[in-house]
Amino acid sequence: MRTFWLPVLGLSLIALGWIGCGSAAFAQTADATEKEIERYRAMISDPMANPAFLNVDRGEALWSLARGTKNVSLQTCDLGEGAGKIDGAYAKLPRYFKDADRVMDLEQRLLWCMEAVQGFDTKDIIKRRFSGPGVVSDMEDLVAYIAQKSSGAKFAVTHSHPKEQEVYAVGEAMFYRRSAVMDFSCATCHSEDGKRIRLQGLPNLTKPGKAVQETMGSWPTYRVSQSQMRTMQHRLWDCYRQMRMPIPDYASDGITALTLYLTKNAEGGEILVPSIKR
């Protein structure tokens, strides 16, 4: 027995040595890849190289376009800073709106203004909520324009109204809620430091600090892999899809709750949008 186990033990120690070397090599490869990704992002960070600024231009035109049965533009819409005022508004969303008696994110608020202020039928807007081949999204364009007006500002969502506190609590519960066939939650991927999926870093979004600030501060973004500009609504929709959970309704209260939880965690973080990602 002794003669048998010693060689096996030796082989095991050798194997462990190779595993250790392999782990170190993988870490070095991952770090090198991350540096190259950052270098690539820096190369295309100039507004003239970011296609999302085309969305910004289209969104500016849509903001001032009179539509609906009332034939008025969205310049009469109050995003929290007063009718038509958009500078810095994105940095304070989601927030409670007294006229609607609801906590809303930007896309929810825009839909509300289209219906209540413009008298506009939003069925087609919702149908084209996400862009794709041959499909232009008014909402993505508007979000790009409005969010860009907060670029350089810092997140400062309020948490004083009882409904904001309630919605934040709902968002936190949703973040940790495991469900569906894979028994996943947002926290499965985003509640620990140093996690990766393949070579993609997975930021810890549960604690205030750099990781969640940089993550939330980079949306909306242009996704090179999709050749489209994407909003936080799309990011969360796609996360639920990948977790094999029921697809959430567009501009739902649940998505707003989750967004408020994440944005509150990112408080004080700088907004630099539209960004560009792989």
Side-chain angles (χ1 to χ4, degrees):
M1 291 294 291
R2 189 176 302 161
T3 304
F4 173 77
W5 281 110
L6 282 175
V8 171
L9 179 60
L11 287 171
S12 299
L13 291 173
I14 291 170
L16 287 172
W18 278 108
I19 291 171
C21 291
S23 298
F26 176 80
Q28 290 175 357
T29 301
D31 289 342
T33 300
E34 191 66 30
K35 288 179 181 178
E36 286 301 307
I37 291 173
E38 288 303 318
R39 190 169 72 89
Y40 166 72
R41 287 173 179 159
M43 289 170 59
I44 55 178
S45 61
D46 189 301
M48 297 302 292
N50 186 343
F53 279 88
L54 297 175
N55 298 85
V56 172
D57 291 342
R58 291 196 298 266
E60 183 176 13
L62 287 169
W63 178 254
S64 59
L65 178 64
R67 295 196 289 189
T69 58
K70 300 179 183 179
N71 195 36
V72 296
S73 73
L74 285 170
Q75 291 171 325
T76 54
C77 176
D78 182 1
L79 297 180
E81 301 299 297
K85 296 180 180 179
I86 57 177
D87 288 351
Y90 183 72
K92 299 178 182 178
L93 291 169
R95 67 188 296 171
Y96 174 76
F97 289 92
K98 186 177 180 180
D99 54 8
D101 193 28
R102 291 170 65 192
V103 175
M104 297 176 170
D105 75 343
L106 177 55
E107 285 162 269
Q108 263 189 326
R109 185 61 179 175
L110 285 171
L111 287 174
W112 186 89
C113 283
M114 287 175 183
E115 294 168 359
V117 177
Q118 292 183 300
F120 190 67
D121 187 345
T122 59
K123 289 188 181 68
D124 182 59
I125 298 291
I126 294 172
K127 183 179 179 180
R128 295 183 291 110
R129 61 196 182 279
F130 305 139
S131 57
V135 178
V136 176
S137 169
D138 287 12
M139 293 301 290
E140 288 177 347
D141 292 344
L142 283 164
V143 170
Y145 170 61
I146 295 165
Q148 197 269 333
K149 288 293 185 178
S150 288
S151 199
K154 294 185 177 181
F155 282 118
V157 294
T158 59
H159 197 233
S160 55
H161 194 279
K163 289 201 172 183
E164 290 171 340
Q165 296 169 8
E166 178 185 4
V167 169
Y168 175 89
V170 170
E172 183 177 23
M174 288 179 63
F175 187 88
Y176 288 96
R177 177 74 165 85
R178 300 171 71 105
S179 186
V181 295
M182 296 178 70
D183 194 33
F184 269 27
S185 69
C186 302
T188 303
C189 292
H190 295 290
S191 62
E192 296 178 33
D193 296 334
K195 275 192 170 183
R196 288 181 178 273
I197 179 168
R198 296 180 292 275
L199 291 177
Q200 178 66 37
L202 296 172
N204 184 347
L205 304 179
T206 62
K207 60 182 183 181
K210 183 179 179 181
V212 67
Q213 288 174 344
E214 289 184 348
T215 299
M216 298 303 292
S218 63
W219 290 85
T221 188
Y222 183 81
R223 298 299 300 267
V224 175
S225 58
Q226 300 176 20
S227 300
Q228 303 293 339
M229 209 238 26
R230 297 304 189 197
T231 67
M232 181 53 64
Q233 282 274 343
H234 185 276
R235 174 65 276 174
L236 294 177
W237 171 86
D238 200 40
C239 282
Y240 273 94
R241 180 189 65 81
Q242 291 181 62
M243 290 189 289
R244 305 298 188 267
M245 289 191 183
I247 301 300
D249 290 339
Y250 179 69
S252 66
D253 289 336
I255 293 299
T256 294
L258 192 52
T259 302
L260 178 59
Y261 169 70
L262 295 171
T263 307
K264 184 63 178 175
N265 286 354
E267 191 168 23
E270 187 176 10
I271 300 169
L272 295 171
V273 295
S275 68
I276 190 162
K277 299 179 184 288
R278 64 170 181 82

